[in-house]
Amino acid sequence: MIDPQILRNDPEVIRESQRRRGEDPALVDQLVAADIGARQDQQFFDDLRNTQKILSKEIGPLQGQLKKNPSPELQQQVDQLMEKATALAADVKAAEQKAAAKAQEVDQLWLQVSNLVDLRSPVGGEDDFVVLEEVGTPRDFAAEGFEPKDHLTIGQGIKAIDTERGAKVSGSRFYFLTGQGAMLEFALLNLAMSQALANGFIPMITPALVLPQAMEGTGFLGQAAENVYRIESDDMYLVGTSEVPLAAYHSDEIIPAKELPLRYAGWSSCFRREAGASGRDTTGIIRVHQFDKVEMFVYCDPAEAEAEHERILQWEKDFIDALEIPYRVIDVATGDLGSSAARKFDIEAWIPTQGKYREVTSTSNTTEFQARRLKIRMRNDSGTKPLATLNGTLCAMPRIIVAILENHQNANGSVNIPAALRPYLGGAKQLTEPKQLTEPGTP
RNA sequence: GGAGGCGUCGCCUAGUCCGGUCUAUGGCGCCGCACUGCUAAUGCGGUUUGGGUUCAUCCCCAUCGAGGGUUCAAAUCCCUCCGCCUCCGCCA
């Protein structure tokens, strides 16, 4: 949610943001009208309620007197007041219901408005991003004298990835990480968590099932709703990222300014329906329904948010650097920000067999948008105010595994392990074909 | 799943039986002022959150886990739900 003062003082700012996103600016005009109406109705109720309270306070003491010394005169006085009060009660109730209905209408409209875009975000759709930098040089496999294999071929060769049995057990876009594939994920987890810990993050293992208000508050029930799994029988949602539980963690709380910034590194499974992506990335583990991820999540003073966003991006780069993977950083365009982000940077890793860069991490500055929805505030000397939240991927397992397998493969199908990862794999320098796992179809 | 207990403005707590002196008590903590070589102690005042109004002060409304209901009037009475604790049963 956006600061309602902006709606009242300068609604054009919100209209412009909606236009840049390719969303409906007329929503803002609906909101302006609804907001005025709701405040009028609230004021009407407040005043009516005030008269009722004053009247009620007159009746109380009179009732007391009447009990001690009953007199017809007093009785008449009380009766008269009661008559007025009874009539008023109905009006108060009606006014209250009207005001509540209007307030709800305003809330519903606000839920449809996305965050104000950062004016530096490039305007346009998915393809209108701006490349900020390219880091590292893709390997020249031709010069090395062999054709690179795709990650699935390599993964199957070293018995690290099993998509056939994944599909057998759970359907398409599911997979098993087996043997050293599983160990590779654990190693990446440990590397990521060590880095996060060194950067002052608090490690967190979060719920993967959340209540509707957590999903709503983080902004995933808007346009992104079709990609969210819902557990109908219990009215809960499977999270697509631990950003959701990490944001809702402090909902309805007021955090002292001196405790900020609060940095959390969450580890959870992530679930995505990938609706509307049918036909894209159908082989391998680039686009899957379930994966594990280490996510950075920060609560900070809004004045610090932009600098923190840069820091998170740097930590993401540090991690990919450590894995020795070539990548580029893009400034995501307004149409591709999602409802919560004001600005978003993606890191895209080089995927040799696709000959292009593919998203492996994403960091968003959601400014005060989520904090307002989730009622998270900070307290400093001048009072309480909404704080800012930011998120960024530290390590999304399958895609990082894809990037490692493809970029560090050898002609014989083995894979070199980046030096930073070796300590977490017992010092091994390569992933090679093991003997113990059976082929699919073998009894 | 069964039985019982509990949920009050940072923390602890009074109030709930019996509705109106609750404009929610007291203590701790915190903030300000006074006193004082300094500190401590003491005294006085302030201290939930959100909304409306205002230059600001003031004032008004809501808020006693949440939502309904009864009533002129609800922390207090009734109903539903949620959470926590204890015990029992089942299970990882």
Side-chain angles (χ1 to χ4, degrees), chain A residues 8 43 46 49-50 52-53 56 59 63 82 93 377 379 384:
Chain A
R8 289 164 200 168
Q43 193 66 56
D46 284 356
R49 177 81 175 134
N50 187 26
Q52 184 189 37
K53 282 172 82 168
S56 248
I59 294 172
Q63 293 273 37
M82 284 289 246
K93 182 170 273 189
R377 285 153 292 171
R379 190 199 309 279
T384 64

CSV table of all heavy atoms in Angstrom, one decimal, chain A residues 8 43 46 49-50 52-53 56 59 63 82 93 377 379 384, chain B residues 20 23 48-53 60-62 69-70 72-74:
chain,number,residue,atom,x,y,z
A,8,ARG,N,-4.0,12.0,-1.4
A,8,ARG,CA,-4.8,13.2,-1.2
A,8,ARG,C,-4.1,14.4,-1.7
A,8,ARG,O,-4.8,15.4,-2.1
A,8,ARG,CB,-5.0,13.3,0.4
A,8,ARG,CG,-6.0,12.2,0.8
A,8,ARG,CD,-6.0,12.0,2.3
A,8,ARG,NE,-6.6,10.7,2.7
A,8,ARG,CZ,-6.5,10.2,3.9
A,8,ARG,NH1,-5.8,10.8,4.9
A,8,ARG,NH2,-7.0,9.0,4.1
A,43,GLN,N,-16.5,10.5,9.8
A,43,GLN,CA,-16.7,11.7,10.6
A,43,GLN,C,-18.1,11.8,11.1
A,43,GLN,O,-18.4,12.1,12.3
A,43,GLN,CB,-16.3,13.0,9.8
A,43,GLN,CG,-16.2,14.2,10.6
A,43,GLN,CD,-15.0,14.2,11.5
A,43,GLN,OE1,-13.9,13.9,11.1
A,43,GLN,NE2,-15.2,14.3,12.8
A,46,ASP,N,-18.5,9.3,13.9
A,46,ASP,CA,-17.8,9.8,15.1
A,46,ASP,C,-18.6,10.8,15.8
A,46,ASP,O,-18.7,10.7,17.1
A,46,ASP,CB,-16.4,10.4,14.7
A,46,ASP,CG,-15.4,9.4,14.3
A,46,ASP,OD1,-15.7,8.2,14.4
A,46,ASP,OD2,-14.3,9.7,13.8
A,49,ARG,N,-21.7,9.2,17.4
A,49,ARG,CA,-21.3,8.4,18.5
A,49,ARG,C,-21.0,9.3,19.7
A,49,ARG,O,-21.3,8.9,20.9
A,49,ARG,CB,-20.1,7.6,18.1
A,49,ARG,CG,-19.5,6.7,19.1
A,49,ARG,CD,-20.3,5.4,19.3
A,49,ARG,NE,-19.6,4.6,20.3
A,49,ARG,CZ,-20.1,3.9,21.3
A,49,ARG,NH1,-21.5,4.0,21.4
A,49,ARG,NH2,-19.5,3.2,22.1
A,50,ASN,N,-20.4,10.4,19.4
A,50,ASN,CA,-20.0,11.3,20.5
A,50,ASN,C,-21.3,11.8,21.2
A,50,ASN,O,-21.4,11.8,22.5
A,50,ASN,CB,-19.3,12.5,20.0
A,50,ASN,CG,-18.8,13.4,21.1
A,50,ASN,OD1,-18.5,13.0,22.2
A,50,ASN,ND2,-18.6,14.7,20.8
A,52,GLN,N,-24.1,10.3,21.4
A,52,GLN,CA,-24.7,9.1,22.1
A,52,GLN,C,-24.0,8.9,23.4
A,52,GLN,O,-24.6,8.7,24.4
A,52,GLN,CB,-24.5,7.9,21.2
A,52,GLN,CG,-25.2,6.7,21.9
A,52,GLN,CD,-24.9,5.4,21.1
A,52,GLN,OE1,-23.8,5.2,20.6
A,52,GLN,NE2,-25.9,4.5,21.1
A,53,LYS,N,-22.7,9.1,23.4
A,53,LYS,CA,-21.9,8.8,24.6
A,53,LYS,C,-22.2,9.9,25.7
A,53,LYS,O,-22.4,9.6,26.9
A,53,LYS,CB,-20.4,8.9,24.3
A,53,LYS,CG,-19.9,7.6,23.7
A,53,LYS,CD,-18.4,7.7,23.3
A,53,LYS,CE,-17.5,7.4,24.4
A,53,LYS,NZ,-16.1,7.3,23.9
A,56,SER,N,-25.6,9.0,27.1
A,56,SER,CA,-25.5,7.9,28.0
A,56,SER,C,-25.0,8.2,29.3
A,56,SER,O,-25.4,7.7,30.4
A,56,SER,CB,-24.6,6.9,27.3
A,56,SER,OG,-25.3,5.7,26.9
A,59,ILE,N,-27.6,9.6,31.6
A,59,ILE,CA,-28.5,8.6,32.1
A,59,ILE,C,-28.0,7.9,33.3
A,59,ILE,O,-28.7,7.6,34.3
A,59,ILE,CB,-28.9,7.6,31.0
A,59,ILE,CG1,-29.7,8.3,29.9
A,59,ILE,CG2,-29.8,6.5,31.6
A,59,ILE,CD1,-30.0,7.5,28.7
A,63,GLN,N,-30.1,7.3,36.9
A,63,GLN,CA,-30.5,6.0,37.3
A,63,GLN,C,-30.2,5.7,38.7
A,63,GLN,O,-31.0,5.2,39.5
A,63,GLN,CB,-29.9,4.9,36.4
A,63,GLN,CG,-30.3,5.0,34.9
A,63,GLN,CD,-31.6,4.2,34.7
A,63,GLN,OE1,-32.5,4.2,35.5
A,63,GLN,NE2,-31.7,3.5,33.5
A,82,MET,N,-34.1,8.4,27.8
A,82,MET,CA,-34.0,7.1,27.3
A,82,MET,C,-34.7,7.0,25.9
A,82,MET,O,-34.2,6.4,25.0
A,82,MET,CB,-34.8,6.1,28.2
A,82,MET,CG,-34.0,5.7,29.4
A,82,MET,SD,-32.6,4.6,29.0
A,82,MET,CE,-33.2,3.2,29.9
A,93,LYS,N,-25.9,3.0,14.8
A,93,LYS,CA,-25.6,1.7,14.2
A,93,LYS,C,-25.6,1.8,12.7
A,93,LYS,O,-24.7,1.2,12.0
A,93,LYS,CB,-26.7,0.6,14.7
A,93,LYS,CG,-26.4,-0.8,14.1
A,93,LYS,CD,-27.3,-1.8,14.7
A,93,LYS,CE,-26.7,-2.4,16.0
A,93,LYS,NZ,-27.4,-3.5,16.6
A,377,ARG,N,6.0,-1.2,11.6
A,377,ARG,CA,6.5,0.1,11.7
A,377,ARG,C,7.8,0.2,12.5
A,377,ARG,O,8.2,-0.8,13.1
A,377,ARG,CB,5.4,1.0,12.5
A,377,ARG,CG,4.2,1.3,11.6
A,377,ARG,CD,3.0,1.5,12.4
A,377,ARG,NE,2.6,0.3,13.0
A,377,ARG,CZ,1.6,0.2,13.9
A,377,ARG,NH1,1.0,1.2,14.4
A,377,ARG,NH2,1.3,-1.0,14.4
A,379,ARG,N,10.0,2.7,15.3
A,379,ARG,CA,9.9,3.8,16.2
A,379,ARG,C,11.2,4.5,16.4
A,379,ARG,O,12.2,3.9,16.7
A,379,ARG,CB,9.4,3.3,17.6
A,379,ARG,CG,9.0,4.4,18.6
A,379,ARG,CD,9.0,3.9,20.0
A,379,ARG,NE,8.2,2.6,20.2
A,379,ARG,CZ,6.9,2.6,20.3
A,379,ARG,NH1,6.2,3.7,20.3
A,379,ARG,NH2,6.3,1.4,20.4
A,384,THR,N,6.3,6.9,15.3
A,384,THR,CA,6.3,5.7,14.6
A,384,THR,C,6.0,6.0,13.1
A,384,THR,O,5.2,6.9,12.8
A,384,THR,CB,5.2,4.7,15.1
A,384,THR,OG1,3.9,5.3,14.9
A,384,THR,CG2,5.4,4.4,16.6
B,20,G,P,-20.4,-0.9,35.8
B,20,G,OP1,-18.9,-0.8,35.7
B,20,G,OP2,-21.1,-1.1,37.1
B,20,G,O5',-21.0,0.4,35.2
B,20,G,C5',-20.5,0.8,33.9
B,20,G,C4',-20.9,2.3,33.6
B,20,G,O4',-22.2,2.4,33.3
B,20,G,C3',-20.7,3.2,34.9
B,20,G,O3',-20.2,4.4,34.4
B,20,G,C2',-22.1,3.4,35.4
B,20,G,O2',-22.2,4.6,36.1
B,20,G,C1',-22.9,3.4,34.1
B,20,G,N9,-24.3,2.9,34.2
B,20,G,C8,-24.9,2.2,35.2
B,20,G,N7,-26.1,1.9,34.9
B,20,G,C5,-26.4,2.6,33.7
B,20,G,C6,-27.5,2.7,32.9
B,20,G,O6,-28.6,2.2,33.1
B,20,G,N1,-27.3,3.4,31.8
B,20,G,C2,-26.1,4.0,31.4
B,20,G,N2,-26.1,4.7,30.3
B,20,G,N3,-25.0,3.9,32.2
B,20,G,C4,-25.2,3.2,33.3
B,23,U,P,-15.5,5.8,31.6
B,23,U,OP1,-16.3,6.5,32.6
B,23,U,OP2,-16.2,5.2,30.4
B,23,U,O5',-14.4,6.8,31.0
B,23,U,C5',-13.7,6.5,29.9
B,23,U,C4',-12.4,7.3,30.0
B,23,U,O4',-12.7,8.7,30.2
B,23,U,C3',-11.4,6.9,31.1
B,23,U,O3',-10.1,6.9,30.6
B,23,U,C2',-11.7,7.9,32.2
B,23,U,O2',-10.6,8.1,33.0
B,23,U,C1',-12.0,9.2,31.3
B,23,U,N1,-12.8,10.1,32.0
B,23,U,C2,-12.2,11.3,32.5
B,23,U,O2,-11.0,11.5,32.4
B,23,U,N3,-13.0,12.1,33.2
B,23,U,C4,-14.4,12.0,33.4
B,23,U,O4,-14.9,12.9,34.0
B,23,U,C5,-14.9,10.8,32.9
B,23,U,C6,-14.1,9.9,32.2
B,48,U,P,0.2,6.5,25.9
B,48,U,OP1,-0.6,7.5,25.2
B,48,U,OP2,-0.1,6.1,27.3
B,48,U,O5',0.3,5.2,25.0
B,48,U,C5',1.3,4.3,25.2
B,48,U,C4',1.0,3.1,24.4
B,48,U,O4',-0.2,2.5,24.8
B,48,U,C3',0.8,3.3,22.9
B,48,U,O3',2.0,3.3,22.2
B,48,U,C2',-0.1,2.1,22.5
B,48,U,O2',0.7,1.0,22.3
B,48,U,C1',-1.0,2.0,23.8
B,48,U,N1,-2.3,2.6,23.7
B,48,U,C2,-3.3,2.1,22.9
B,48,U,O2,-3.1,1.1,22.2
B,48,U,N3,-4.5,2.7,22.9
B,48,U,C4,-4.8,3.9,23.6
B,48,U,O4,-5.9,4.4,23.5
B,48,U,C5,-3.7,4.4,24.4
B,48,U,C6,-2.5,3.8,24.4
B,49,U,P,2.2,4.4,21.0
B,49,U,OP1,3.6,4.3,20.6
B,49,U,OP2,1.7,5.7,21.5
B,49,U,O5',1.3,3.9,19.9
B,49,U,C5',1.6,2.6,19.2
B,49,U,C4',0.4,2.1,18.5
B,49,U,O4',-0.7,1.9,19.4
B,49,U,C3',-0.2,3.0,17.5
B,49,U,O3',0.6,3.0,16.2
B,49,U,C2',-1.6,2.4,17.3
B,49,U,O2',-1.5,1.2,16.6
B,49,U,C1',-1.9,2.1,18.8
B,49,U,N1,-2.6,3.2,19.4
B,49,U,C2,-4.0,3.3,19.2
B,49,U,O2,-4.6,2.5,18.6
B,49,U,N3,-4.6,4.3,19.8
B,49,U,C4,-4.1,5.3,20.6
B,49,U,O4,-4.8,6.2,21.1
B,49,U,C5,-2.6,5.2,20.7
B,49,U,C6,-2.0,4.2,20.1
B,50,G,P,0.6,4.3,15.3
B,50,G,OP1,1.5,4.0,14.3
B,50,G,OP2,0.7,5.5,16.2
B,50,G,O5',-0.9,4.3,14.7
B,50,G,C5',-1.2,3.3,13.8
B,50,G,C4',-2.7,3.3,13.5
B,50,G,O4',-3.5,3.1,14.7
B,50,G,C3',-3.3,4.6,12.9
B,50,G,O3',-3.0,4.8,11.6
B,50,G,C2',-4.8,4.4,13.2
B,50,G,O2',-5.3,3.5,12.2
B,50,G,C1',-4.7,3.8,14.6
B,50,G,N9,-4.9,4.8,15.6
B,50,G,C8,-3.9,5.3,16.4
B,50,G,N7,-4.3,6.2,17.2
B,50,G,C5,-5.7,6.3,17.0
B,50,G,C6,-6.7,7.1,17.5
B,50,G,O6,-6.6,8.0,18.4
B,50,G,N1,-7.9,6.9,17.0
B,50,G,C2,-8.2,6.0,16.0
B,50,G,N2,-9.4,5.9,15.6
B,50,G,N3,-7.2,5.2,15.4
B,50,G,C4,-6.0,5.4,16.0
B,51,G,P,-2.8,6.3,11.0
B,51,G,OP1,-2.4,6.2,9.6
B,51,G,OP2,-2.1,7.1,12.0
B,51,G,O5',-4.4,6.8,11.0
B,51,G,C5',-5.3,6.2,10.1
B,51,G,C4',-6.7,6.7,10.5
B,51,G,O4',-7.0,6.4,11.8
B,51,G,C3',-6.9,8.2,10.3
B,51,G,O3',-7.0,8.6,9.0
B,51,G,C2',-8.2,8.4,11.1
B,51,G,O2',-9.3,7.9,10.4
B,51,G,C1',-8.0,7.4,12.3
B,51,G,N9,-7.4,8.2,13.4
B,51,G,C8,-6.1,8.2,13.9
B,51,G,N7,-6.0,8.9,14.9
B,51,G,C5,-7.2,9.5,15.2
B,51,G,C6,-7.7,10.4,16.2
B,51,G,O6,-7.0,10.9,17.1
B,51,G,N1,-9.0,10.7,16.0
B,51,G,C2,-9.8,10.1,15.1
B,51,G,N2,-11.1,10.5,15.1
B,51,G,N3,-9.4,9.3,14.1
B,51,G,C4,-8.1,9.0,14.2
B,52,G,P,-6.6,10.1,8.6
B,52,G,OP1,-6.7,10.2,7.1
B,52,G,OP2,-5.4,10.5,9.3
B,52,G,O5',-7.8,11.0,9.2
B,52,G,C5',-9.1,10.9,8.7
B,52,G,C4',-10.0,11.7,9.6
B,52,G,O4',-10.0,11.3,10.9
B,52,G,C3',-9.7,13.2,9.6
B,52,G,O3',-10.1,13.9,8.5
B,52,G,C2',-10.5,13.6,10.9
B,52,G,O2',-11.9,13.7,10.6
B,52,G,C1',-10.3,12.4,11.8
B,52,G,N9,-9.1,12.6,12.7
B,52,G,C8,-7.9,12.1,12.6
B,52,G,N7,-7.1,12.5,13.6
B,52,G,C5,-7.9,13.3,14.4
B,52,G,C6,-7.6,14.0,15.6
B,52,G,O6,-6.6,14.1,16.2
B,52,G,N1,-8.8,14.7,16.0
B,52,G,C2,-10.0,14.8,15.4
B,52,G,N2,-10.9,15.5,16.0
B,52,G,N3,-10.2,14.1,14.3
B,52,G,C4,-9.2,13.4,13.8
B,53,U,P,-9.3,15.1,7.9
B,53,U,OP1,-9.9,15.6,6.7
B,53,U,OP2,-7.8,14.7,7.9
B,53,U,O5',-9.4,16.2,9.1
B,53,U,C5',-10.7,16.8,9.3
B,53,U,C4',-10.6,17.7,10.5
B,53,U,O4',-10.3,16.9,11.7
B,53,U,C3',-9.5,18.7,10.5
B,53,U,O3',-9.8,19.9,9.7
B,53,U,C2',-9.3,19.1,11.9
B,53,U,O2',-10.3,20.0,12.4
B,53,U,C1',-9.5,17.7,12.6
B,53,U,N1,-8.3,17.0,12.8
B,53,U,C2,-7.6,17.3,14.0
B,53,U,O2,-8.0,18.1,14.8
B,53,U,N3,-6.4,16.6,14.1
B,53,U,C4,-5.8,15.7,13.3
B,53,U,O4,-4.8,15.2,13.6
B,53,U,C5,-6.6,15.5,12.1
B,53,U,C6,-7.7,16.1,11.9
B,60,C,P,-12.9,15.3,23.8
B,60,C,OP1,-14.0,15.2,24.8
B,60,C,OP2,-11.6,14.7,24.1
B,60,C,O5',-13.4,14.7,22.4
B,60,C,C5',-14.6,15.1,21.8
B,60,C,C4',-14.8,14.5,20.5
B,60,C,O4',-13.7,15.0,19.6
B,60,C,C3',-14.6,13.0,20.4
B,60,C,O3',-15.8,12.3,20.9
B,60,C,C2',-14.3,12.7,19.0
B,60,C,O2',-15.5,12.9,18.2
B,60,C,C1',-13.4,13.9,18.6
B,60,C,N1,-12.0,13.6,18.8
B,60,C,C2,-11.4,12.8,17.8
B,60,C,O2,-12.0,12.5,16.8
B,60,C,N3,-10.1,12.5,17.9
B,60,C,C4,-9.4,12.9,19.0
B,60,C,N4,-8.1,12.5,19.1
B,60,C,C5,-10.0,13.6,20.1
B,60,C,C6,-11.3,13.9,19.9
B,61,C,P,-15.7,10.9,21.7
B,61,C,OP1,-17.0,10.6,22.3
B,61,C,OP2,-14.5,11.0,22.5
B,61,C,O5',-15.4,10.0,20.5
B,61,C,C5',-16.4,9.8,19.5
B,61,C,C4',-15.8,8.9,18.4
B,61,C,O4',-14.7,9.5,17.7
B,61,C,C3',-15.3,7.6,18.9
B,61,C,O3',-16.3,6.6,19.2
B,61,C,C2',-14.4,7.2,17.7
B,61,C,O2',-15.2,6.7,16.6
B,61,C,C1',-13.8,8.5,17.3
B,61,C,N1,-12.5,8.7,18.0
B,61,C,C2,-11.4,8.1,17.4
B,61,C,O2,-11.5,7.4,16.4
B,61,C,N3,-10.1,8.3,18.0
B,61,C,C4,-10.0,9.1,19.1
B,61,C,N4,-8.8,9.3,19.6
B,61,C,C5,-11.2,9.7,19.7
B,61,C,C6,-12.4,9.5,19.1
B,62,A,P,-16.0,5.6,20.4
B,62,A,OP1,-17.3,4.9,20.7
B,62,A,OP2,-15.3,6.2,21.5
B,62,A,O5',-15.1,4.5,19.7
B,62,A,C5',-15.5,3.8,18.5
B,62,A,C4',-14.3,3.1,17.9
B,62,A,O4',-13.3,4.1,17.5
B,62,A,C3',-13.6,2.1,18.8
B,62,A,O3',-14.2,0.9,18.9
B,62,A,C2',-12.2,2.1,18.0
B,62,A,O2',-12.3,1.3,16.9
B,62,A,C1',-12.1,3.6,17.6
B,62,A,N9,-11.3,4.3,18.6
B,62,A,C8,-11.7,5.3,19.5
B,62,A,N7,-10.7,5.8,20.2
B,62,A,C5,-9.6,5.2,19.7
B,62,A,C6,-8.2,5.3,20.0
B,62,A,N6,-7.8,6.1,21.0
B,62,A,N1,-7.3,4.5,19.4
B,62,A,C2,-7.8,3.7,18.4
B,62,A,N3,-9.1,3.5,18.0
B,62,A,C4,-9.9,4.3,18.7
B,69,G,P,-23.8,-7.2,15.0
B,69,G,OP1,-24.7,-6.7,14.0
B,69,G,OP2,-22.7,-6.3,15.5
B,69,G,O5',-24.6,-7.8,16.3
B,69,G,C5',-25.5,-8.9,16.1
B,69,G,C4',-25.8,-9.5,17.4
B,69,G,O4',-24.7,-10.0,18.0
B,69,G,C3',-26.5,-8.7,18.4
B,69,G,O3',-27.9,-8.4,18.1
B,69,G,C2',-26.3,-9.5,19.6
B,69,G,O2',-27.2,-10.6,19.7
B,69,G,C1',-24.9,-10.0,19.4
B,69,G,N9,-23.9,-9.2,20.2
B,69,G,C8,-23.0,-8.4,19.6
B,69,G,N7,-22.2,-7.8,20.6
B,69,G,C5,-22.7,-8.3,21.8
B,69,G,C6,-22.4,-8.1,23.1
B,69,G,O6,-21.4,-7.3,23.5
B,69,G,N1,-23.1,-8.8,24.0
B,69,G,C2,-24.2,-9.6,23.7
B,69,G,N2,-24.8,-10.2,24.7
B,69,G,N3,-24.5,-9.9,22.4
B,69,G,C4,-23.8,-9.2,21.5
B,70,U,P,-28.6,-7.1,18.5
B,70,U,OP1,-29.9,-7.0,17.9
B,70,U,OP2,-27.6,-6.0,18.3
B,70,U,O5',-28.7,-7.3,20.1
B,70,U,C5',-29.6,-8.3,20.6
B,70,U,C4',-29.5,-8.3,22.1
B,70,U,O4',-28.2,-8.6,22.6
B,70,U,C3',-29.8,-6.9,22.8
B,70,U,O3',-31.1,-6.7,22.9
B,70,U,C2',-29.1,-7.1,24.1
B,70,U,O2',-29.9,-7.9,25.0
B,70,U,C1',-27.9,-8.0,23.8
B,70,U,N1,-26.7,-7.1,23.6
B,70,U,C2,-26.0,-6.7,24.7
B,70,U,O2,-26.3,-7.1,25.8
B,70,U,N3,-24.9,-5.9,24.5
B,70,U,C4,-24.4,-5.5,23.2
B,70,U,O4,-23.4,-4.8,23.2
B,70,U,C5,-25.2,-5.9,22.1
B,70,U,C6,-26.3,-6.7,22.3
B,72,C,P,-32.3,-0.3,24.7
B,72,C,OP1,-33.5,0.3,25.3
B,72,C,OP2,-32.4,-0.9,23.3
B,72,C,O5',-31.2,0.9,24.6
B,72,C,C5',-31.3,1.9,23.7
B,72,C,C4',-30.3,3.0,24.1
B,72,C,O4',-30.8,3.6,25.3
B,72,C,C3',-28.9,2.6,24.4
B,72,C,O3',-28.1,2.4,23.3
B,72,C,C2',-28.4,3.7,25.3
B,72,C,O2',-28.0,4.8,24.6
B,72,C,C1',-29.7,4.0,26.1
B,72,C,N1,-29.8,3.3,27.4
B,72,C,C2,-29.0,3.7,28.5
B,72,C,O2,-28.1,4.6,28.3
B,72,C,N3,-29.0,3.1,29.6
B,72,C,C4,-29.9,2.1,29.8
B,72,C,N4,-30.0,1.5,31.0
B,72,C,C5,-30.8,1.6,28.7
B,72,C,C6,-30.7,2.3,27.6
B,73,A,P,-27.1,1.2,23.1
B,73,A,OP1,-26.4,1.3,21.8
B,73,A,OP2,-27.9,0.0,23.4
B,73,A,O5',-26.1,1.5,24.3
B,73,A,C5',-25.1,2.5,24.2
B,73,A,C4',-24.3,2.6,25.4
B,73,A,O4',-25.2,2.9,26.6
B,73,A,C3',-23.6,1.4,25.8
B,73,A,O3',-22.3,1.3,25.1
B,73,A,C2',-23.4,1.6,27.3
B,73,A,O2',-22.3,2.5,27.6
B,73,A,C1',-24.7,2.3,27.7
B,73,A,N9,-25.7,1.3,28.3
B,73,A,C8,-26.8,0.8,27.6
B,73,A,N7,-27.5,0.0,28.4
B,73,A,C5,-26.8,0.0,29.6
B,73,A,C6,-27.1,-0.6,30.8
B,73,A,N6,-28.1,-1.5,31.0
B,73,A,N1,-26.2,-0.4,31.8
B,73,A,C2,-25.2,0.4,31.6
B,73,A,N3,-24.8,1.1,30.5
B,73,A,C4,-25.7,0.8,29.5
B,74,A,P,-21.7,-0.1,24.7
B,74,A,OP1,-20.5,0.1,23.9
B,74,A,OP2,-22.8,-0.9,24.1
B,74,A,O5',-21.3,-0.8,26.1
B,74,A,C5',-20.3,-0.2,26.9
B,74,A,C4',-19.4,-1.3,27.4
B,74,A,O4',-20.2,-2.3,28.0
B,74,A,C3',-18.6,-2.0,26.4
B,74,A,O3',-17.4,-2.4,27.0
B,74,A,C2',-19.4,-3.2,26.0
B,74,A,O2',-18.7,-4.2,25.5
B,74,A,C1',-20.0,-3.5,27.4
B,74,A,N9,-21.3,-4.3,27.3
B,74,A,C8,-22.1,-4.4,26.3
B,74,A,N7,-23.2,-5.2,26.5
B,74,A,C5,-23.0,-5.5,27.9
B,74,A,C6,-23.8,-6.3,28.7
B,74,A,N6,-24.9,-6.8,28.4
B,74,A,N1,-23.3,-6.4,30.0
B,74,A,C2,-22.2,-5.8,30.4
B,74,A,N3,-21.4,-5.1,29.6
B,74,A,C4,-21.9,-4.9,28.4
